[in-house]
Amino acid sequence: MRIFDSNWMQIAEYLERDDRVVLPVGSTEQHGYLSLGTDALLAERVSVEAAEPLGVPVLPVLPFGMAPYFTEYPGSMSLRITTYLEVIRDLLDCLASQGFRRIAVVNGHGGNAPVAGLIREWICQPRDNRVQVLFHSWYNAPQTAAAASRFDEDQFHGAWVENFAWTRVAGVEIPSGGVPVLPRSVVNNVTAQEMKTLSADGSLGGAYQRSDEDMQVVWDAGVAEVRELLEKGWLNL
């Protein structure tokens, strides 16, 4: 359930019987012909669909992440790593102080990976009650990655693997075909200006689109994997 669909008293009542919560995190950045909000839209939606039958509340997605390499594309935003980690720390502190003891951070953006290190530091800090925090990048988790690899062994940013009905922009025609996949060794070591030169339209390679039937296979795997995490991913303490 979306936490925005509840009032604070309902969440207080929920905490009397359960202590799980989901925090989706994404990014606002170019995705070629797809929405600038692709990472945020997907992280929140996969969280909501996974958590709904379990009755676990889902916070609104944190829409900004770390994407300095995309800032030459208008509309792309990036937080400094120090800023971003402190935002995550503040959110974890709030949730723990309110009684949430099992927090799942569902991530939709590769640039947010440093959060995993923060979480390890955070859970080791002394506090009155043990709090578990899981960091799950839904898009490259094992089952989801395997589902995508059934159709194409190499998928990359802004291409078919992120092209769902809910990440497309109204009135925008997505090209057929595709472009060569940029080597990750190159992409991981370029400036924002160089990135814009390497990829004029923002796709980092591969087919631009696949059928909605194929995309549903990938999506179903992602939802199932997040749901399994919420059900079975916790330590029995």
Side-chain angles (χ1 to χ4, degrees):
M1 61 179 181
R2 298 178 191 270
I3 208 166
F4 275 4
D5 294 331
S6 304
N7 61 36
W8 75 267
M9 292 165 280
Q10 290 172 307
I11 298 302
E13 189 275 330
Y14 164 82
L15 280 167
E16 294 178 3
R17 64 179 188 277
D18 205 333
D19 60 6
R20 293 174 293 177
V21 68
V22 183
L23 170 61
V25 297
S27 183
T28 298
E29 62 183 46
Q30 72 81 14
H31 276 78
Y33 295 90
L34 304 175
S35 169
L36 281 151
T38 290
D39 288 345
L41 291 168
L42 295 178
E44 183 169 69
R45 187 180 182 115
V46 77
S47 298
V48 169
E49 290 192 20
E52 186 66 33
L54 307 178
V56 175
V58 178
L59 290 155
V61 66
L62 180 61
F64 302 115
M66 294 176 283
Y69 35 81
F70 286 143
T71 54
E72 284 294 300
Y73 299 88
S76 299
M77 300 288 105
S78 185
L79 298 176
R80 288 173 295 175
I81 187 170
T82 51
T83 301
Y84 189 72
L85 293 183
E86 289 309 303
V87 169
I88 297 295
R89 189 192 307 276
D90 286 349
L91 295 175
L92 295 178
D93 286 345
C94 283
L95 292 170
S97 71
Q98 293 168 7
F100 292 99
R101 299 289 175 255
R102 291 177 291 173
I103 304 167
V105 179
V106 175
N107 176 47
H109 170 55
N112 295 339
V115 170
L118 168 71
I119 287 171
R120 294 201 68 182
E121 174 189 282
W122 188 87
I123 62 174
C124 289
Q125 293 172 345
R127 50 180 48 88
D128 292 338
N129 296 285
R130 174 74 160 88
V131 180
Q132 296 184 56
V133 184
L134 304 176
F135 182 76
H136 178 79
S137 293
W138 80 271
Y139 55 90
N140 66 359
Q143 296 170 32
T144 307
S149 293
R150 288 173 49 186
F151 305 112
D152 191 337
E153 284 293 335
D154 196 9
Q155 324 94 28
F156 214 175
H157 174 91
W160 74 268
V161 76
E162 298 182 287
N163 184 349
F164 296 90
W166 43 91
T167 59
R168 298 172 199 147
V169 177
V172 173
E173 183 176 350
I174 299 175
S176 58
V179 293
V181 176
L182 292 172
R184 284 164 174 78
S185 59
V186 172
V187 169
N188 292 338
N189 194 36
V190 296
T191 67
Q193 292 80 9
E194 291 165 341
M195 180 70 79
K196 185 69 159 47
T197 300
L198 283 170
S199 179
D201 69 6
S203 173
L204 302 191
Y208 284 110
Q209 55 188 317
R210 295 194 66 88
S211 70
D212 284 342
E213 291 75 18
D214 289 353
M215 298 311 297
Q216 193 64 48
V217 171
V218 178
W219 186 251
D220 289 345
V223 171
E225 213 159 10
V226 174
R227 187 173 298 151
E228 182 177 23
L229 182 82
L230 296 177
E231 289 183 298
K232 303 176 182 179
W234 316 101
L235 298 174
N236 293 319
L237 300 174

mmCIF file of all heavy atoms in Angstrom, residues 3 10 13 24 52 54 72 103 110-111 120 127 131 134 137 139 161 181 212 218:
data_model
loop_
_atom_site.group_PDB
_atom_site.id
_atom_site.type_symbol
_atom_site.label_atom_id
_atom_site.label_comp_id
_atom_site.label_asym_id
_atom_site.label_seq_id
_atom_site.Cartn_x
_atom_site.Cartn_y
_atom_site.Cartn_z
ATOM 1 N N ILE A 3 1.990 4.699 1.157
ATOM 2 C CA ILE A 3 1.827 5.379 2.439
ATOM 3 C C ILE A 3 1.032 6.674 2.277
ATOM 4 O O ILE A 3 0.372 7.137 3.216
ATOM 5 C CB ILE A 3 3.205 5.630 3.096
ATOM 6 C CG1 ILE A 3 3.060 5.665 4.621
ATOM 7 C CG2 ILE A 3 3.872 6.880 2.556
ATOM 8 C CD1 ILE A 3 4.375 5.560 5.352
ATOM 9 N N GLN A 10 -3.379 5.491 10.879
ATOM 10 C CA GLN A 10 -3.422 4.161 10.280
ATOM 11 C C GLN A 10 -2.036 3.511 10.260
ATOM 12 O O GLN A 10 -1.910 2.301 10.464
ATOM 13 C CB GLN A 10 -3.988 4.260 8.856
ATOM 14 C CG GLN A 10 -5.471 4.598 8.834
ATOM 15 C CD GLN A 10 -5.970 4.895 7.428
ATOM 16 O OE1 GLN A 10 -5.402 5.727 6.722
ATOM 17 N NE2 GLN A 10 -7.015 4.204 7.005
ATOM 18 N N GLU A 13 -1.314 2.288 13.707
ATOM 19 C CA GLU A 13 -2.018 1.023 13.955
ATOM 20 C C GLU A 13 -1.307 -0.135 13.269
ATOM 21 O O GLU A 13 -1.191 -1.230 13.825
ATOM 22 C CB GLU A 13 -3.455 1.156 13.459
ATOM 23 C CG GLU A 13 -4.380 -0.007 13.843
ATOM 24 C CD GLU A 13 -4.281 -1.179 12.865
ATOM 25 O OE1 GLU A 13 -3.990 -0.939 11.677
ATOM 26 O OE2 GLU A 13 -4.492 -2.334 13.305
ATOM 27 N N PRO A 24 11.464 3.212 -1.789
ATOM 28 C CA PRO A 24 12.001 3.153 -3.145
ATOM 29 C C PRO A 24 12.905 4.362 -3.410
ATOM 30 O O PRO A 24 12.602 5.473 -2.978
ATOM 31 C CB PRO A 24 10.747 3.207 -4.042
ATOM 32 C CG PRO A 24 9.568 3.272 -3.130
ATOM 33 C CD PRO A 24 10.060 3.648 -1.775
ATOM 34 N N GLU A 52 1.812 -4.808 -2.143
ATOM 35 C CA GLU A 52 0.356 -4.687 -1.999
ATOM 36 C C GLU A 52 -0.288 -5.906 -1.340
ATOM 37 O O GLU A 52 -1.025 -5.770 -0.355
ATOM 38 C CB GLU A 52 -0.276 -4.410 -3.359
ATOM 39 C CG GLU A 52 -1.765 -4.122 -3.299
ATOM 40 C CD GLU A 52 -2.083 -2.816 -2.570
ATOM 41 O OE1 GLU A 52 -1.275 -1.876 -2.651
ATOM 42 O OE2 GLU A 52 -3.139 -2.755 -1.915
ATOM 43 N N LEU A 54 0.885 -8.020 0.589
ATOM 44 C CA LEU A 54 1.432 -8.246 1.922
ATOM 45 C C LEU A 54 0.976 -7.175 2.914
ATOM 46 O O LEU A 54 1.195 -7.315 4.119
ATOM 47 C CB LEU A 54 2.970 -8.244 1.870
ATOM 48 C CG LEU A 54 3.622 -9.185 0.850
ATOM 49 C CD1 LEU A 54 5.137 -9.032 0.892
ATOM 50 C CD2 LEU A 54 3.217 -10.621 1.122
ATOM 51 N N GLU A 72 24.685 16.744 -18.606
ATOM 52 C CA GLU A 72 24.674 17.544 -19.837
ATOM 53 C C GLU A 72 23.362 17.391 -20.605
ATOM 54 O O GLU A 72 23.083 18.170 -21.512
ATOM 55 C CB GLU A 72 25.852 17.155 -20.735
ATOM 56 C CG GLU A 72 27.195 17.688 -20.276
ATOM 57 C CD GLU A 72 27.269 19.211 -20.350
ATOM 58 O OE1 GLU A 72 27.107 19.767 -21.451
ATOM 59 O OE2 GLU A 72 27.488 19.837 -19.290
ATOM 60 N N ILE A 103 13.433 -2.492 7.111
ATOM 61 C CA ILE A 103 13.328 -1.466 6.080
ATOM 62 C C ILE A 103 13.946 -2.011 4.796
ATOM 63 O O ILE A 103 15.124 -2.397 4.776
ATOM 64 C CB ILE A 103 14.065 -0.178 6.503
ATOM 65 C CG1 ILE A 103 13.535 0.327 7.860
ATOM 66 C CG2 ILE A 103 13.950 0.897 5.427
ATOM 67 C CD1 ILE A 103 14.417 1.401 8.494
ATOM 68 N N GLY A 110 21.576 2.558 -10.933
ATOM 69 C CA GLY A 110 22.902 2.030 -10.642
ATOM 70 C C GLY A 110 23.801 2.998 -9.916
ATOM 71 O O GLY A 110 24.636 2.595 -9.105
ATOM 72 N N GLY A 111 23.655 4.291 -10.183
ATOM 73 C CA GLY A 111 24.494 5.284 -9.533
ATOM 74 C C GLY A 111 24.284 5.406 -8.047
ATOM 75 O O GLY A 111 25.093 6.026 -7.339
ATOM 76 N N ARG A 120 25.452 -0.495 5.664
ATOM 77 C CA ARG A 120 26.283 -1.356 6.521
ATOM 78 C C ARG A 120 26.829 -0.575 7.710
ATOM 79 O O ARG A 120 26.912 -1.091 8.822
ATOM 80 C CB ARG A 120 27.424 -1.961 5.714
ATOM 81 C CG ARG A 120 26.955 -2.937 4.644
ATOM 82 C CD ARG A 120 28.045 -3.890 4.222
ATOM 83 N NE ARG A 120 28.394 -4.812 5.294
ATOM 84 C CZ ARG A 120 29.346 -5.727 5.203
ATOM 85 N NH1 ARG A 120 30.053 -5.818 4.092
ATOM 86 N NH2 ARG A 120 29.621 -6.526 6.205
ATOM 87 N N ARG A 127 22.098 1.240 18.920
ATOM 88 C CA ARG A 127 20.748 1.788 19.113
ATOM 89 C C ARG A 127 19.986 0.822 20.004
ATOM 90 O O ARG A 127 20.373 -0.330 20.176
ATOM 91 C CB ARG A 127 20.031 2.031 17.782
ATOM 92 C CG ARG A 127 20.038 0.885 16.821
ATOM 93 C CD ARG A 127 19.294 1.222 15.518
ATOM 94 N NE ARG A 127 19.676 2.488 14.935
ATOM 95 C CZ ARG A 127 20.686 2.639 14.075
ATOM 96 N NH1 ARG A 127 21.405 1.583 13.714
ATOM 97 N NH2 ARG A 127 20.988 3.806 13.585
ATOM 98 N N VAL A 131 17.648 -2.910 14.016
ATOM 99 C CA VAL A 131 16.925 -2.566 12.798
ATOM 100 C C VAL A 131 17.626 -3.237 11.623
ATOM 101 O O VAL A 131 18.842 -3.114 11.468
ATOM 102 C CB VAL A 131 16.875 -1.038 12.580
ATOM 103 C CG1 VAL A 131 16.106 -0.714 11.300
ATOM 104 C CG2 VAL A 131 16.237 -0.338 13.775
ATOM 105 N N LEU A 134 17.571 -3.722 4.133
ATOM 106 C CA LEU A 134 17.962 -4.430 2.925
ATOM 107 C C LEU A 134 18.089 -3.431 1.778
ATOM 108 O O LEU A 134 17.253 -2.536 1.637
ATOM 109 C CB LEU A 134 16.911 -5.486 2.557
ATOM 110 C CG LEU A 134 16.577 -6.523 3.637
ATOM 111 C CD1 LEU A 134 15.453 -7.432 3.148
ATOM 112 C CD2 LEU A 134 17.801 -7.341 3.997
ATOM 113 N N SER A 137 18.627 -3.694 -5.569
ATOM 114 C CA SER A 137 18.526 -3.091 -6.895
ATOM 115 C C SER A 137 17.690 -4.032 -7.757
ATOM 116 O O SER A 137 18.190 -5.041 -8.278
ATOM 117 C CB SER A 137 19.913 -2.875 -7.497
ATOM 118 O OG SER A 137 20.632 -1.889 -6.768
ATOM 119 N N TYR A 139 16.358 -4.147 -10.691
ATOM 120 C CA TYR A 139 16.541 -4.335 -12.127
ATOM 121 C C TYR A 139 17.665 -5.318 -12.468
ATOM 122 O O TYR A 139 17.679 -5.891 -13.570
ATOM 123 C CB TYR A 139 16.824 -2.988 -12.800
ATOM 124 C CG TYR A 139 18.002 -2.272 -12.176
ATOM 125 C CD1 TYR A 139 19.286 -2.462 -12.643
ATOM 126 C CD2 TYR A 139 17.817 -1.454 -11.061
ATOM 127 C CE1 TYR A 139 20.365 -1.845 -12.039
ATOM 128 C CE2 TYR A 139 18.889 -0.825 -10.451
ATOM 129 C CZ TYR A 139 20.160 -1.030 -10.938
ATOM 130 O OH TYR A 139 21.214 -0.431 -10.310
ATOM 131 N N VAL A 161 15.320 -2.582 -22.234
ATOM 132 C CA VAL A 161 15.118 -3.187 -20.917
ATOM 133 C C VAL A 161 14.408 -2.255 -19.950
ATOM 134 O O VAL A 161 13.864 -2.695 -18.930
ATOM 135 C CB VAL A 161 16.474 -3.675 -20.354
ATOM 136 C CG1 VAL A 161 17.328 -2.516 -19.831
ATOM 137 C CG2 VAL A 161 16.265 -4.743 -19.290
ATOM 138 N N VAL A 181 26.044 -1.369 -28.350
ATOM 139 C CA VAL A 181 26.203 -1.195 -26.906
ATOM 140 C C VAL A 181 27.569 -0.576 -26.625
ATOM 141 O O VAL A 181 28.601 -1.076 -27.079
ATOM 142 C CB VAL A 181 26.075 -2.543 -26.175
ATOM 143 C CG1 VAL A 181 26.347 -2.370 -24.684
ATOM 144 C CG2 VAL A 181 24.683 -3.137 -26.395
ATOM 145 N N ASP A 212 5.461 -5.778 -25.630
ATOM 146 C CA ASP A 212 4.958 -5.672 -24.266
ATOM 147 C C ASP A 212 4.886 -7.039 -23.596
ATOM 148 O O ASP A 212 5.007 -7.142 -22.369
ATOM 149 C CB ASP A 212 3.573 -5.012 -24.255
ATOM 150 C CG ASP A 212 3.656 -3.498 -24.468
ATOM 151 O OD1 ASP A 212 4.754 -2.932 -24.287
ATOM 152 O OD2 ASP A 212 2.625 -2.887 -24.806
ATOM 153 N N VAL A 218 9.834 -9.770 -17.917
ATOM 154 C CA VAL A 218 10.862 -9.130 -17.087
ATOM 155 C C VAL A 218 10.222 -8.486 -15.862
ATOM 156 O O VAL A 218 10.721 -8.631 -14.733
ATOM 157 C CB VAL A 218 11.639 -8.083 -17.906
ATOM 158 C CG1 VAL A 218 12.673 -7.380 -17.035
ATOM 159 C CG2 VAL A 218 12.307 -8.728 -19.115
#
